[in-house]
Amino acid sequence: MSVAARAAGLTTSPIRSIARGAPQGTISLALGEPGWPVPDAATQALVHWADLAMTCSYGPNEGLPELVEALTERYAVRPDQLMVTAGSQAALFALFQAHVPAGSRVLVPDPGFPAYRTLATLAGAESTAYPLGPGGALHAGAVLDLLEQHHDVSVVVLNHPANPTGGCATAPELERVARACERRDVTLISDEVYRELRVDGTPQPSVREVSDRAIVVQSVSKAWAAPGLRVGWAGGPAELLAPARLVHNAMTTAPARPSQVAAAALLGDSATVLAGSRKELRRRWELVAAGPEVLRPTQPVTAGFYHWLPLPPWTRADPEGFVRRVRDEGRVLVVPGAAFGPAGRDHVRLSVGGPRAELLEGLARLAPWWEEPC
Ligand SMILES: Cc1ncc(COP(=O)(O)O)c(C=O)c1O
């Protein structure tokens, strides 16, 4: 059997591999997905579709008209400035395949969502990490320095509110990166899947507010509470999306038709759905704030459902061993920070998005591990 070199080095997502071998009864605070019920708009649309459907045909490559319409209205773009995909993950894959030449370089955040590095490898490129500012905020200067140093950068990836830190980006910082990318003809991709999950009402700027050359990726997976639908999209210049759309067609033809029907219903009911998600999220962060003192965030949380928790100093010699002991003896699962890049080594990521009872129990189990050993 021969495995192509680009796939040979791939490993299971570290977020999923830590879950393997967890003892029975382990509480998972590891997976980044909403634990509140899928909104009514989606379930009703699915039931209605199932009642009426005589056939289950392929969706059109460009997305179902009602979904495209909901998105073009929401983002005030033309249909050719939009690409409907099987989750934002497929949007990212298609964009990397279309805009990352083999041998080029992709700038990715450290700590950051591990898929960016994998997608660069699959495109035959190298990824170079840029550091984030305090609290995981975008520090444009760090990206600009790397753009000065490397003349082979094809794509810069931003992700704010960020996975795993929750850090945000201000409009001026986004603008500095966007202008630098425009000057060098580098494609800027901003992953904004957590943008609508504001906790405290602070608006999170989108890169599209400061640049009409940048591409944004989004999905119904987080804020619209429906990751299993696998529906996402990219918005950006038509000429940048056109080749990516062909890659997406070659990969998956189109997202599943019933999923697109449900996604259109969710988008159409955005005001209710997003308000509901923010409420669910605020309740969870309130539980964390009222929970064990050793586990409380030291900075105010503004967006998303990740708690980027520093490891206790006495565990730092072997963080992964510590996380495994917490899993096997404490029966609670968190993700070792190193899964998100070397800069994450001294942290773990807790997702607070799951069911509230599990969050409470998970925090109670975790707390003793963060308390100073006698
Ligand atoms: C930052 C980030 N981008 C993209 C994704 C992929 O999400 P989806 O493909 O469900 O839209 C995730 C999922 O965890 C994520 O955290």
Side-chain angles (χ1 to χ4, degrees):
M1 185 189 70
S2 69
V3 175
R6 64 181 165 275
L10 295 186
T11 51
T12 312
S13 150
I15 303 170
R16 290 190 184 264
S17 50
I18 183 76
R20 284 205 192 125
Q24 265 213 317
T26 299
I27 297 243
S28 176
L29 301 181
L31 267 188
E33 59 184 7
W36 51 93
V38 60
D40 288 346
T43 43
Q44 282 166 14
L46 285 169
V47 168
H48 186 67
W49 180 83
D51 274 349
L52 295 184
M54 301 289 288
T55 59
C56 188
S57 51
Y58 292 116
N61 290 145
E62 61 277 14
L64 286 187
E66 58 265 42
L67 177 56
V68 172
E69 196 184 321
L71 289 168
T72 50
E73 258 177 36
R74 181 170 181 83
Y75 296 105
V77 293
R78 298 189 313 262
D80 64 350
Q81 295 169 318
L82 192 79
M83 170 173 72
V84 175
T85 57
S88 66
Q89 183 81 29
L92 288 166
F93 181 89
L95 289 164
F96 271 61
Q97 289 295 314
H99 294 293
V100 177
S104 70
R105 187 179 305 275
V106 180
L107 301 189
V108 300
D110 179 14
F113 183 44
Y116 307 139
R117 282 171 270 147
T118 306
L119 293 174
T121 305
L122 281 174
E126 195 166 317
S127 50
T128 297
Y130 61 85
L132 296 167
L138 174 63
H139 171 41
V143 181
L144 268 54
D145 284 350
L146 286 174
L147 283 170
E148 278 298 314
Q149 273 169 44
H150 300 285
H151 297 279
D152 55 356
V153 177
S154 51
V155 163
V156 170
V157 184
L158 303 181
N159 170 223
H160 296 282
N163 177 4
T165 60
C168 293
T170 63
E173 291 293 277
L174 287 172
E175 192 165 2
R176 283 182 71 200
V177 175
R179 291 295 93 80
C181 288
E182 284 163 12
R183 277 198 300 277
R184 289 170 177 78
D185 202 20
V186 165
T187 302
L188 177 57
I189 300 175
S190 180
D191 178 341
E192 299 183 1
V193 290
Y194 298 100
R195 180 168 168 243
E196 304 290 351
L197 284 180
R198 298 192 294 270
V199 177
D200 67 350
T202 317
Q204 305 298 321
S206 165
V207 81
R208 293 287 290 169
E209 289 163 24
V210 299
S211 168
D212 57 9
R213 300 296 308 152
I215 302 173
V216 169
V217 299
Q218 256 282 18
S219 76
V220 295
S221 298
K222 315 289 179 180
W224 283 267
L229 288 180
R230 310 307 303 128
V231 173
W233 55 90
E239 68 279 14
L240 295 184
L241 295 185
R245 196 176 282 115
L246 295 175
V247 174
H248 189 265
N249 294 353
M251 174 176 48
T252 181
T253 310
R257 180 177 278 267
S259 289
Q260 292 196 62
V261 169
L266 283 173
L267 265 296
D269 199 24
S270 288
T272 310
V273 172
L274 296 178
S277 289
R278 287 176 197 140
K279 192 170 160 197
E280 291 283 357
L281 201 60
R282 270 195 302 276
R283 282 173 163 174
R284 284 161 174 77
W285 281 113
E286 279 162 16
L287 289 182
V288 179
E293 204 176 331
V294 278
L295 302 177
R296 289 185 198 154
T298 50
Q299 306 276 331
V301 176
T302 54
F305 41 57
Y306 298 122
H307 184 6
W308 189 235
L309 183 67
L311 281 166
W314 61 91
T315 67
R316 289 188 182 166
D318 180 15
E320 300 213 10
F322 175 71
V323 168
R324 265 197 308 278
R325 278 190 64 205
V326 170
R327 178 193 71 181
D328 296 341
E329 297 168 38
R331 289 184 306 122
V332 54
L333 204 60
V334 297
V335 184
F340 303 94
R345 195 176 179 275
D346 290 343
H347 284 72
V348 292
R349 189 194 78 175
L350 268 65
S351 172
V352 309
R356 279 184 292 155
E358 287 185 22
L359 174 61
L360 273 178
E361 176 61 22
L363 292 173
R365 290 186 191 181
L366 218 49
W369 294 86
W370 257 254
E371 277 150 14
E372 192 96 38
C374 313

